[in-house]
Amino acid sequence: MANKGPAYGLSREVQSKIDKKYDPELEDRLVQWIIAQCGDSVGKPQPGKQGFQQWLKDGCVLCELINSLAKDSKPVKKIQSSSMAFKQMEQISQFLGAAERYGVTKSDMFQTVDLWEGKDLAAVQMTLLSLGSLAVTKDDGCYRGDPSWFHKKSQENKREFSDEQLKEGQSVIGLQMGTNKGASQAGMTGYGRPRQILNNQ
């Protein structure tokens, strides 16, 4: 982790809330998947949040992961282990760019500092979870591991209607508007006696 002093007050409260979102069970599943996807060469982290962060911090494992999901050309051309902070952060950024091109939405992406400084490892988990779900959904033969580790993303279900069907739909009153079925004035009587205007002269 970066050499930062302890957080106090509101910063500490916020950090503690973020830390609570981290899921150790999900960590196990993600580690299993990354090793199955990339092979044993990526090693295995020490159990726990800090071990998970140290394992992914230099960006090499993440870049290996995104490359293993590509069919033809590798999205990250050069993967180099380095102890220099800016090199490590650059590799994390390359992974994030490649993951976005793969189809992970911006809202599911973590920021480089979330991983590098260990600020929000739950966000890192969410990005990897989203990437795994996409890989299972694409079903292009690149995914390795147990498909039940991730949920399939919902697919577009496009429907084509003819002009005739569209015209028919215009004459139907949707039930959310209420219904006029069974409404009639049968059996209605007058509303009592008419107003009496008396001329007392």
Side-chain angles (χ1 to χ4, degrees):
M1 296 225 178
N3 295 324
K4 288 195 171 189
Y8 296 100
L10 185 63
S11 307
R12 189 175 189 166
E13 225 174 278
V14 169
Q15 192 57 51
S16 142
K17 275 187 180 174
I18 290 169
D19 289 346
K20 279 179 189 162
K21 289 182 184 173
Y22 186 81
D23 183 351
E25 282 180 25
L26 180 56
E27 177 203 302
D28 289 343
R29 197 175 356 139
L30 291 170
V31 168
Q32 273 183 292
W33 173 52
I34 293 170
I35 293 169
Q37 186 70 40
C38 304
D40 294 329
S41 60
V42 291
K44 196 174 183 181
Q46 292 291 318
K49 197 158 98 171
Q50 224 155 350
F52 187 66
Q53 187 228 357
Q54 289 300 324
W55 188 48
L56 301 176
K57 187 179 173 180
D58 67 357
C60 291
V61 173
L62 292 174
C63 291
E64 291 284 358
L65 176 65
I66 198 72
N67 278 355
S68 72
L69 292 170
K71 252 189 169 170
D72 309 315
S73 63
K74 305 290 176 205
V76 181
K77 303 285 179 247
K78 198 175 176 188
I79 303 171
Q80 248 182 335
S81 186
S82 171
S83 56
M84 293 164 81
F86 79 93
K87 283 274 185 198
Q88 294 180 348
M89 291 171 107
E90 191 184 335
Q91 284 203 148
I92 296 170
S93 298
Q94 283 183 314
F95 161 77
L96 290 170
E100 196 177 335
R101 289 192 296 277
Y102 188 74
V104 178
T105 55
K106 261 200 157 74
S107 57
D108 285 336
M109 291 286 205
F110 67 86
Q111 302 292 310
T112 304
V113 290
D114 292 339
L115 171 58
W116 202 82
E117 291 183 8
K119 283 196 168 186
D120 188 357
L121 291 172
V124 177
Q125 287 186 322
M126 285 302 108
T127 303
L128 293 171
L129 188 65
S130 185
L131 184 66
S133 296
L134 260 173
V136 169
T137 308
K138 284 190 177 187
D139 197 18
D140 55 4
C142 292
Y143 176 84
R144 291 190 279 279
D146 188 341
S148 68
W149 286 339
F150 301 101
H151 295 295
K152 271 193 172 187
K153 289 198 176 274
S154 56
Q155 309 277 143
E156 186 181 35
N157 186 1
K158 223 172 182 183
R159 293 168 173 82
E160 296 292 334
F161 294 107
S162 65
D163 289 341
E164 205 174 292
Q165 285 172 313
L166 290 170
K167 274 182 192 156
E168 272 177 37
Q170 286 171 353
S171 60
V172 175
I173 297 173
L175 282 178
Q176 68 263 38
M177 316 274 194
T179 178
N180 61 357
K181 261 200 175 132
S184 86
Q185 290 184 327
M188 282 185 72
T189 55
Y191 294 104
R193 296 174 67 201
R195 186 172 170 209
Q196 302 294 311
I197 299 172
L198 299 171
N199 192 0
N200 297 326
Q201 275 185 358

